[in-house]
Amino acid sequence: MPLSGVLSAIRELIIHDVELPEDRDARRRELAQRFDGLSDAELDDLADLPPERIRVYTNLVFAGERQMLRWLFATSLPIIAQIIRAQQSDGDEVDPPDDSDILFDLVKEMNAKKRWGSVSIRELGKVFADFVREDRSDLVAAWAGLLELIELERIEAAVYYALDADADALDPAALAAGSVDALLSASVLLPDYVEPRKCKFDVLAAHEHRQETGETIEPLPTGGPAFVACGRDPESLMPVWVELSQAEFDALSVLKKAKRGGRPARGRIEDLASAYLSARAPKPGDTEESVFLEFFECLNTWCVSGVLLAPRG
Amino acid sequence: MVVANKLGLKALGAGIGLRSEHFGDIIEKKPAARWFEAIPENFLNRGGFVARALDEVSAHYPIVGHGVSLSIGSTDPLDRELLKGLKAFCEKVGSPWYSDHLCFTMVDHVNLNDLIPLPFTRETVDHVADRVKQVQDALEMPFLLENVTYYMTPSKSQMSEADFITELLEKADCGLLLDVSNVLLNSKNHGFDPIRFIDSIPLERVGQMHLAGFERDGDILLDTHARPVDDETWDLYREVLKRTGRASVLVEWDAELPSLERLIQEADMAQKLMDEVCGPEPVRAN
């Protein structure tokens, strides 16, 4: 079908920022080599298109993607731009390229190597993450934790947009007001969009530092793994990151494992408490009461941050 | 002379775009906006803050859906899941009609995420008209196509843009979202008379209008939506109103986004001109 050939050719010229000769006849020859399914008339029409007018669309498309990626990866992208600027610098530049130009070229490269195949901004984020991991290992080598930071930001956007769980906020004060038995038998739900994560690098600190100060820090490798989870504040509905201990991570992972075959990740507080106590390393001076209070503080954090909710029904 | 409107859609007056940056102000201050145009793709399959904001706004204001990803001109199949989502969105907010752009945004399953123009040919007319009918069957509500700015024409045109739009609207039997700014930009970028253009298209099919600011980039004017509406656009808008009568008009200012108050001020200007040209708004009986 002729229309499909024309639209496909336009797509390719835009996305691949094809450099066409200024001379119209030379342009036509190159287009004929590139698009062998088009008729003579269609090739003539494409050759008549001023290349700078096609470039208007290339600029619009890549600038648009750059803007969306800047929203998704507000911490990672400036770091990536900094790395690329350092790679390109010969140390003598009076006027180094700014982030916008660097990131425009990066988006152009991403489109040459990967395909954004839907209208979903979340999918665009995944395409970008895959591109950095698979096609720009130099960036990953230059900044420890880059892939973990990108993943953190992807998770944060996913939490912001996620569909609501069939659950309500858990009120820790109400839990505390009841009996211990009532508290332990209360049902809890870990929303699908909450993904407790184990990180090699302290990327959450880098992310929060950037959000507060606008500056980039090198994430220091932690002495052991770092554990984090992103909930959604039940009041503001904004993403909230919480740092977890190993024991908290293990406890929440028990709930996550309860999610099977479409069933939500739910359980009872006593399941969480039991998993927490099993994973927790004993401390000098531990008493039953002090350990219970320690667990209750964790529970409070999980409720307030929306990591845990009260399932309906 | 005012043409009789074929679509029978209610004239909502001058509205503004619903932008996430303004959610807080809209919910808290309940400003005097007549209606909001919402991009459904910003709300589909989304929960949390975005969903709650939409619920709050739609409880207090009329909302009209205007999409960006239907890709009506593409040769990829229509996205049936998207159409289901759009229908559900419009029903949820009570949108009186739905609109999207006369262009393609995706082909070969690659998202270009911009409004790429179509060839002005009979093949395109037949192709798009068929797809519009499928969209109308799926949405079960009035559907409008918006004329876009074009910086190139993908193949030699068999007809003028005005004839292309006219034939397509008649064949598809759908409405027109007349982007007045796009008419002006295209007239300047491609050298035609904008008044002759508006007199050549079926204004009786206009269900809504857009107005927006633009910027110069070398020898062309770009539809950036990043500036206030300029005087020439206001003048063309007046000419359109003389022919269509009262309408629903949306001020598009969504890049370099101004404050909500400034945006409403721009819409108020559009409303003031409408009242001047068309006479005061009829008083509705209680």
Side-chain angles (χ1 to χ4, degrees), chain A residues 185-263:
Chain A
S185 62
S187 287
V188 291
L189 179 140
L190 190 78
D192 285 350
Y193 50 81
V194 175
E195 301 179 33
R197 286 272 159 152
K198 181 172 155 179
C199 301
K200 239 173 31 178
F201 300 100
D202 197 2
V203 286
L204 184 58
H207 181 49
E208 288 174 341
H209 182 82
R210 176 91 198 175
Q211 285 182 326
E212 283 160 26
T213 68
E215 288 168 6
T216 301
I217 59 169
E218 181 79 21
L220 300 172
T222 55
F227 303 95
V228 295
C230 189
R232 194 154 77 188
D233 184 306
E235 292 287 322
S236 69
L237 302 177
M238 291 294 141
V240 177
W241 284 99
V242 292
E243 291 180 60
L244 307 168
S245 63
Q246 169 93 61
E248 289 176 271
F249 178 81
D250 287 352
L252 292 173
S253 296
V254 163
L255 266 190
K256 202 75 184 171
K257 283 177 192 145
K259 181 176 166 28
R260 273 185 184 71
R263 284 185 296 143

Side-chain angles (χ1 to χ4, degrees), chain B:
Chain B
M1 186 176 124
V2 173
V3 299
N5 192 275
K6 200 180 170 81
L7 303 179
L9 298 176
K10 186 176 169 188
L12 300 176
I16 58 174
L18 182 61
R19 297 288 172 265
S20 59
E21 294 89 334
H22 294 148
F23 282 165
D25 274 350
I26 296 168
I27 293 166
E28 196 185 325
K29 296 176 185 171
K30 305 281 188 303
R34 289 168 201 86
W35 59 282
F36 287 95
E37 184 184 84
I39 298 173
E41 288 88 340
N42 290 341
F43 300 95
L44 293 180
N45 300 316
R46 292 180 181 178
F49 179 72
V50 161
R52 185 190 282 181
L54 182 69
D55 285 344
E56 293 260 4
V57 176
S58 64
H60 294 97
Y61 297 93
I63 291 186
V64 177
H66 176 64
V68 294
S69 62
L70 205 52
S71 199
I72 196 73
S74 176
T75 45
D76 287 358
L78 281 167
D79 185 338
R80 295 286 165 183
E81 284 306 307
L82 173 65
L83 283 171
K84 282 185 201 161
L86 295 177
K87 182 174 159 69
F89 173 87
C90 288
E91 284 171 356
K92 179 184 163 83
V93 302
S95 179
W97 62 83
Y98 188 69
S99 59
D100 204 315
H101 304 77
L102 178 49
C103 69
F104 72 104
T105 58
M106 186 181 283
V107 74
D108 305 326
H109 305 286
V110 173
N111 185 9
L112 292 161
N113 200 53
D114 209 279
L115 311 176
I116 315 299
L118 294 163
F120 298 150
T121 64
R122 293 209 159 71
E123 183 189 357
T124 311
V125 168
D126 291 342
H127 172 69
V128 175
D130 179 62
R131 284 163 73 90
V132 167
K133 286 175 185 167
Q134 292 181 56
V135 166
Q136 289 177 125
D137 287 345
L139 295 181
E140 296 182 300
M141 64 191 310
F143 176 67
L144 315 180
L145 276 174
E146 179 184 347
N147 56 304
V148 299
T149 324
Y150 58 98
Y151 309 111
M152 63 172 184
T153 45
S155 69
K156 201 162 264 98
S157 303
Q158 294 172 347
M159 54 184 80
S160 67
E161 186 196 357
D163 288 345
F164 173 73
I165 287 173
T166 300
E167 276 196 37
L168 175 54
L169 294 179
E170 298 297 334
K171 193 166 181 126
D173 195 17
C174 68
L176 176 65
L177 192 164
L178 179 63
D179 191 307
V180 176
S181 306
N182 289 350
V183 172
L184 185 70
L185 262 62
N186 288 337
S187 76
K188 289 184 175 300
N189 287 336
H190 303 288
F192 60 79
D193 179 349
I195 300 292
R196 188 179 285 181
F197 180 93
I198 61 171
D199 284 336
S200 306
I201 58 173
L203 293 177
E204 68 275 14
R205 288 187 179 269
V206 171
Q208 188 192 321
M209 297 185 214
H210 275 171
L211 296 165
F214 58 86
E215 289 168 280
R216 179 168 286 283
D217 182 14
D219 64 346
I220 59 169
L221 301 178
L222 290 182
D223 181 31
T224 59
H225 295 187
R227 292 282 180 272
V229 177
D230 84 319
D231 288 343
E232 248 187 300
T233 310
W234 288 128
D235 289 344
L236 184 58
Y237 168 61
R238 272 184 222 266
E239 291 301 318
V240 173
L241 286 171
K242 285 177 191 171
R243 292 153 170 81
T244 62
R246 305 193 76 80
S248 305
V249 59
L250 186 278
V251 172
E252 290 186 299
W253 191 348
D254 31 54
E256 310 291 329
L257 190 67
S259 67
L260 182 60
E261 290 74 24
R262 179 67 186 92
L263 203 48
I264 290 174
Q265 215 175 46
E266 199 79 343
D268 286 347
M269 177 65 168
Q271 185 66 43
K272 179 169 173 282
L273 290 177
M274 191 184 309
D275 293 341
E276 278 173 13
V277 172
C278 305
E281 196 164 356
V283 174
R284 289 190 196 86
N286 287 331

Side-chain angles (χ1 to χ4, degrees), chain A residues 40-267:
Chain A
D40 286 342
E42 284 157 354
L43 287 167
D44 285 335
D45 291 346
L46 278 181
D48 287 339
L49 283 180
E52 64 271 17
R53 290 299 177 98
I54 302 174
R55 193 154 294 114
V56 171
Y57 286 99
T58 303
N59 291 342
L60 287 171
V61 169
F62 292 162
E65 284 186 20
R66 179 184 59 195
Q67 185 179 3
M68 283 185 279
L69 289 172
R70 272 180 152 153
W71 185 85
L72 282 170
F73 300 110
T75 305
S76 313
L77 279 196
I79 292 171
I80 289 173
Q82 196 170 299
I83 296 169
I84 294 174
R85 190 179 300 106
Q87 285 173 344
Q88 293 172 350
S89 167
D90 57 7
D92 228 0
E93 281 174 61
V94 173
D95 206 6
D98 70 16
D99 280 15
S100 284
D101 292 337
I102 289 172
L103 295 174
F104 184 92
D105 289 342
L106 191 71
V107 167
K108 184 171 151 179
E109 187 187 338
M110 180 182 79
N111 277 278
K113 292 178 177 161
K114 294 280 185 267
R115 184 178 263 246
W116 180 23
S118 80
V119 301
S120 161
I121 189 175
R122 280 170 279 188
E123 205 211 295
L124 177 64
K126 186 177 179 311
V127 168
F128 180 75
D130 290 345
F131 163 68
V132 172
R133 185 175 55 252
E134 292 164 14
D135 300 293
R136 290 304 300 258
S137 54
D138 57 309
L139 300 175
V140 178
W143 205 81
L146 183 63
L147 288 178
E148 283 187 342
L149 180 59
I150 287 173
E151 185 60 18
L152 227 74
E153 293 194 282
R154 210 177 60 74
I155 288 171
E156 188 172 292
V159 169
Y160 176 71
Y161 283 132
L163 290 170
D164 297 344
D166 188 20
D168 298 306
L170 256 177
D171 182 358
L175 288 173
S179 67
V180 172
D181 282 345
L183 184 150
L184 290 173
S185 62
S187 287
V188 291
L189 179 140
L190 190 78
D192 285 350
Y193 50 81
V194 175
E195 301 179 33
R197 286 272 159 152
K198 181 172 155 179
C199 301
K200 239 173 31 178
F201 300 100
D202 197 2
V203 286
L204 184 58
H207 181 49
E208 288 174 341
H209 182 82
R210 176 91 198 175
Q211 285 182 326
E212 283 160 26
T213 68
E215 288 168 6
T216 301
I217 59 169
E218 181 79 21
L220 300 172
T222 55
F227 303 95
V228 295
C230 189
R232 194 154 77 188
D233 184 306
E235 292 287 322
S236 69
L237 302 177
M238 291 294 141
V240 177
W241 284 99
V242 292
E243 291 180 60
L244 307 168
S245 63
Q246 169 93 61
E248 289 176 271
F249 178 81
D250 287 352
L252 292 173
S253 296
V254 163
L255 266 190
K256 202 75 184 171
K257 283 177 192 145
K259 181 176 166 28
R260 273 185 184 71
R263 284 185 296 143
R266 61 186 284 176

